[in-house]
Amino acid sequence: MPSYSDDQGKSISLVKEIAKGGEGTIWQTNRSGYLAKTYHNPSNEQITKLELMVANPPPNPTAGMRHIAISWPTNLIKDNQGKWVGFLMPEIKNAKELVYVYHPTNRNKHAPEFNWYCLHIIAYNFASILREIHAKNYIIGDISVKNILVNGSSLVSLIDTDSFQVTDPKTQKVYYCSVGSEGFTPPELIGQTLSQLAQNRFHDRFRLAVIIHYLLFGSHPFMGKWTGSGNPPGQNDAISQGHWPYGINSLLKPSPNTIPLNVLHPKLGQCFTKCFNDGHQSPTSRPSPEDWVDALQVAINDLVVCSKNPNHINSQHFRRCYWCDRAKALSVDIFPAVKNPIAPQKISITPPPPPPVTIQQLQSQNQSLNQQLAQANTQLSTLQSNNQSLNQQLAQVNQKVSTLQSDNKSLSQDIQKLQSDNQSLNQQLATVSQNSHHTSQLSQQVQRLEIIKKIAITSTIISTIAATAFGGLSFLQYQERNQLIRQIEQIRRQNNLPSGRWDLSSYSLDKELENLGEMIEDEKPLVSRDLDELINKMQENKETSINELNQRISNLEAIKTDLENQNNSRKNRINELVNQNNSQQNRINELVNQNNSQQNRINELVNQNQSLQNRIKELEGETTTPGI
């Protein structure tokens, strides 16, 4: 027989083969209370995984009852060539597989003393075990009715723990659980390769609910009467599609043999619906082991005994014995009367005492805390550097904002100048409008002179001849002529023109004779000449004024357009600066928030640092305390 030894160098004998599978063999050993498992061809990864498990066992929630809740690897074993081949684990004695407890036929044959109260207790104990396993960051993965054992006191033991998913706390490397049982795989994992998949506690929560459903209802939750077309789906398809008897839009309905959900305490019913309804699409909604422990505690403390059959245990809220009604309706009693039935007892949750701490554990904790302290100091240094960088960025942004504000002020001054120029331009346009009105008056005067000219030619001839030849008979015409001359002089004065050749203020007979001589020679009279000269001059002034005004109007309109363009350009620039200012302000706020966040993180790390320092001092004190 080959010789073996454990990781402490102590000899081990493999006495008797108990079971053999594709992966390895289970042996009875010469060490009382321990079994061994040897692998046919162990890999380095399997051995490393076992080393991590041996170094980090989860707490035993039933240690105070001298009961082994988890058959956890305790030592590695190697052959006489020094090759690691397997491990030692506690032996679970006097216990049955779960299938002999929850299934009514098996229970009546192998464990008739277990009533509904006992099944609640078993569910409570299993949820407590899973709570401790998750607290140590382990994932069971392969939960099934075959790796859960129950003894006569309703205490639960979990076996086949070497298939758990294990995460190295230092490197975060994950050692996967490569196996799974049908009916216990959550919908999101169905069809996936488990050997290459990192699972999480929400997957285990689905499996936990299935186990508790088996215990309290005697069947898998995704079973019932199919109301859809065609054949009912298989178990995995039903899970994947969310068909359970109390699911939303489920085509599975409760059958006549199905125990109704409302028989349970409402808190337990809520846990099931939350897991299989809400948790179907949102795994994080599934109740945790702690949620089940709390709900089961309330439900257990609500159980009462039937007055007709003491082995019938019911929830008090149901107000009658469901098991009596069921036995009468189906002619089958799944909890028949027994001698000395187990009566429900109230339970209270008390945390188990902490296990004794060894010097090695304290030293390991101290080393871990020192590593955490070093990491915290590194993070603190990085955050301080980031904080300094943020302050520099903040100073740069403030400088940019100051420049933008200065540019904004300069633009505001430019706009005020443009507005002033625009006002001046409007005044000039008003002046042009007045000049234009003056030009209109000038045109009216020219038209008036044309009319005077026509009258003056006739009047002058008549009045001159009459005045010379007939004297007083033409006095009226003479006065009319002189009136025309005065009007001509008035127009000259209004337009700043010199007097004409015919001027009443320097009137003489020579002028009359000159005028008569001109007419005899068939020339124009002096008044007519003055009129022609005045009209031509007025026409020239009119055209010059109009051209000047048109040119001035064009110039002013061009200036106005240029000012408007400048004004619009300035406004656009102001809007651009305002947007830049707002953007910079947002950046400032963002940097301030980052700065505050970094400062909070620094404070947090400082507090954590102080806490770690205090813990290190405590551990150093503990390691020097005698008696450990």
Side-chain angles (χ1 to χ4, degrees):
M1 178 181 293
S3 60
Y4 298 88
S5 60
D6 64 14
D7 49 17
Q8 303 297 319
K10 295 180 180 180
S11 176
I12 301 171
S13 295
L14 306 183
V15 177
K16 181 182 177 181
E17 181 180 311
I18 298 176
K20 190 173 185 178
E23 186 180 45
T25 305
I26 306 297
W27 299 86
Q28 185 178 2
T29 71
N30 62 338
R31 291 191 185 181
S32 177
Y34 286 90
L35 301 177
K37 180 176 181 178
T38 58
Y39 295 104
H40 301 321
N41 187 23
S43 65
N44 292 334
E45 190 168 273
Q46 282 178 312
I47 299 303
T48 304
K49 177 180 177 181
L50 288 172
E51 289 175 341
L52 290 170
M53 296 180 72
V54 169
N56 298 281
N60 180 6
T62 54
M65 302 178 186
R66 298 182 180 275
H67 171 74
I68 299 171
I70 309 170
S71 182
W72 196 260
T74 58
N75 298 89
L76 270 66
I77 58 176
K78 57 185 175 181
D79 59 19
N80 56 3
Q81 298 177 353
K83 178 182 178 182
W84 298 110
V85 294
F87 63 95
L88 290 176
M89 58 186 169
E91 180 181 10
I92 308 300
K93 299 180 179 180
N94 303 319
K96 301 176 178 65
E97 290 184 2
L98 198 66
V99 67
Y100 295 108
V101 175
Y102 78 80
H103 192 277
T105 302
N106 291 337
R107 182 175 61 245
N108 289 338
K109 183 177 180 180
H110 298 281
E113 71 279 6
F114 284 111
N115 54 30
W116 213 42
Y117 161 69
C118 297
L119 299 179
H120 277 73
I121 293 295
I122 294 169
Y124 174 86
N125 287 333
F126 180 68
S128 300
I129 293 172
L130 186 58
R131 176 178 59 183
E132 299 299 336
I133 290 172
H134 282 181
K136 291 290 286 186
N137 201 29
Y138 293 113
I139 304 299
I140 296 180
D142 185 25
I143 298 179
S144 74
V145 295
K146 293 183 179 181
N147 55 18
I148 300 173
L149 305 180
V150 182
N151 69 10
S153 299
S154 301
L155 294 173
V156 177
S157 297
L158 194 59
I159 62 174
D160 293 340
T161 58
D162 59 313
S163 65
F164 282 16
Q165 177 179 291
V166 177
T167 301
D168 189 328
K170 294 181 179 179
T171 66
Q172 299 303 309
K173 176 179 173 57
V174 178
Y175 297 86
Y176 303 123
C177 173
S178 59
V179 293
S181 300
E182 184 178 3
F184 290 89
T185 304
E188 63 271 19
L189 297 187
I190 291 176
Q192 298 198 41
T193 303
L194 298 181
S195 61
Q196 301 175 3
L197 179 70
Q199 300 187 47
N200 57 52
R201 61 189 61 196
F202 304 112
H203 301 145
D204 271 0
R205 291 181 183 183
F206 176 87
R207 301 175 177 113
L208 170 62
V210 173
I211 289 293
I212 296 176
H213 194 281
Y214 266 123
L215 287 166
L216 301 183
F217 292 91
S219 63
H220 192 277
F222 288 81
M223 291 180 61
K225 181 180 179 181
W226 178 248
T227 61
S229 59
N231 295 325
Q235 198 167 67
N236 279 345
D237 288 338
I239 293 174
S240 180
Q241 297 167 19
H243 292 308
W244 79 294
Y246 303 98
I248 301 171
N249 300 323
S250 174
L251 297 178
L252 273 179
K253 302 300 179 184
S255 69
N257 294 331
T258 302
I259 298 173
L261 190 65
N262 63 351
V263 172
L264 293 177
H265 189 279
K267 282 189 172 292
L268 291 176
Q270 291 170 7
C271 285
F272 280 118
T273 55
K274 192 173 181 182
C275 181
F276 298 134
N277 284 348
D278 300 345
H280 184 262
Q281 296 295 332
S282 174
T284 57
S285 300
R286 295 167 186 160
S288 66
E290 184 68 34
D291 295 331
W292 282 105
V293 166
D294 293 342
L296 283 162
Q297 181 192 17
V298 174
I300 290 170
N301 290 337
D302 189 59
L303 294 175
V304 294
V305 179
C306 173
S307 59
K308 295 181 180 180
N309 182 349
N311 205 35
H312 286 179
I313 310 298
N314 297 275
S315 292
Q316 188 174 358
H317 85 280
F318 198 67
R319 300 186 179 279
R320 66 178 188 275
C321 180
Y322 167 75
W323 310 113
C324 287
D325 294 346
R326 176 186 173 86
K328 182 178 179 180
L330 301 178
S331 300
V332 176
D333 192 348
I334 63 175
F335 295 111
V338 296
K339 292 181 180 180
N340 302 319
I342 300 174
Q345 297 182 11
K346 306 293 183 182
I347 63 171
S348 59
I349 300 178
T350 55
V357 181
T358 65
I359 291 179
Q360 290 82 1
Q361 289 174 326
L362 287 173
Q363 289 174 342
S364 176
Q365 291 180 21
N366 195 3
Q367 182 179 2
S368 175
L369 287 173
N370 282 327
Q371 291 174 350
Q372 294 180 40
L373 182 60
Q375 293 175 355
N377 285 328
T378 301
Q379 293 179 19
L380 181 61
S381 176
T382 302
L383 286 173
Q384 288 172 340
S385 175
N386 291 341
N387 197 17
Q388 183 179 1
S389 175
L390 285 174
N391 285 329
Q392 291 174 351
Q393 293 181 41
L394 188 60
Q396 292 174 356
V397 170
N398 284 328
Q399 182 63 36
K400 290 181 180 179
V401 169
S402 176
T403 302
L404 288 173
Q405 290 173 340
S406 176
D407 290 346
N408 197 0
K409 181 178 180 181
S410 175
L411 282 174
S412 298
Q413 293 174 350
D414 289 346
I415 286 207
Q416 291 177 357
K417 184 177 182 304
L418 286 172
Q419 290 173 340
S420 176
D421 292 344
N422 199 14
Q423 183 177 2
S424 174
L425 179 61
N426 288 331
Q427 292 174 353
Q428 293 181 47
L429 288 174
T431 304
V432 168
S433 177
Q434 293 175 358
N435 291 337
S436 179
H437 178 68
H438 174 72
T439 303
S440 176
Q441 290 179 341
L442 188 61
S443 299
Q444 293 176 359
Q445 290 179 355
V446 171
Q447 292 175 358
R448 181 181 173 194
L449 286 172
E450 292 288 351
I451 296 170
I452 292 173
K453 178 180 178 181
K454 293 177 182 179
I455 298 171
I457 293 172
T458 305
S459 298
T460 303
I461 294 171
I462 295 172
S463 61
T464 301
I465 296 172
T468 305
F470 302 103
L473 293 177
S474 298
F475 181 71
L476 292 174
Q477 288 84 354
Y478 178 78
Q479 285 185 325
E480 182 179 353
R481 184 199 69 176
N482 290 343
Q483 181 65 30
L484 289 174
I485 293 172
R486 291 189 187 96
Q487 290 181 11
I488 292 170
E489 287 300 317
Q490 182 181 4
I491 290 173
R492 284 179 176 274
R493 286 193 302 272
Q494 288 176 351
N495 290 278
N496 297 318
L497 296 175
S499 299
R501 285 180 293 176
W502 193 281
D503 186 357
L504 294 177
S505 61
S506 59
Y507 177 78
S508 67
L509 180 60
D510 292 336
K511 289 287 185 182
E512 286 287 358
L513 292 175
E514 182 183 355
N515 186 46
L516 178 61
E518 293 287 340
M519 291 174 61
I520 292 174
E521 294 176 1
D522 199 18
E523 297 291 339
K524 292 182 180 180
L526 294 178
V527 175
S528 178
R529 286 175 180 243
D530 283 349
L531 274 173
D532 287 342
E533 181 184 347
L534 178 58
I535 288 173
N536 290 334
K537 190 64 176 177
M538 293 288 287
Q539 190 67 34
E540 289 176 3
N541 290 346
K542 172 187 173 184
E543 291 176 356
T544 301
S545 295
I546 289 174
N547 291 335
E548 290 178 353
L549 288 174
N550 286 337
Q551 183 61 40
R552 192 174 181 187
I553 288 173
S554 297
N555 293 338
L556 290 174
E557 286 178 347
I559 293 172
K560 181 177 181 181
T561 300
D562 183 58
L563 288 174
E564 288 175 347
N565 291 336
Q566 291 183 39
N567 199 357
N568 291 334
S569 176
R570 298 297 187 189
K571 288 180 179 178
N572 291 336
R573 179 57 179 159
I574 283 182
N575 292 335
E576 180 182 341
L577 289 174
V578 168
N579 292 334
Q580 290 183 17
N581 201 346
N582 292 337
S583 176
Q584 295 289 2
Q585 191 60 48
N586 292 336
R587 178 59 179 159
I588 287 175
N589 295 335
E590 179 182 340
L591 290 174
V592 168
N593 292 334
Q594 289 183 18
N595 200 341
N596 292 337
S597 176
Q598 296 284 14
Q599 193 60 48
N600 291 337
R601 179 58 180 157
I602 288 174
N603 294 336
E604 180 182 327
L605 288 173
V606 169
N607 293 334
Q608 183 180 352
N609 195 334
Q610 186 62 45
S611 176
L612 291 172
Q613 291 282 13
N614 294 337
R615 180 57 180 156
I616 288 172
K617 291 179 181 178
E618 291 176 4
L619 291 174
E620 290 173 348
E622 291 178 5
T623 56
T624 58
T625 302
I628 295 179

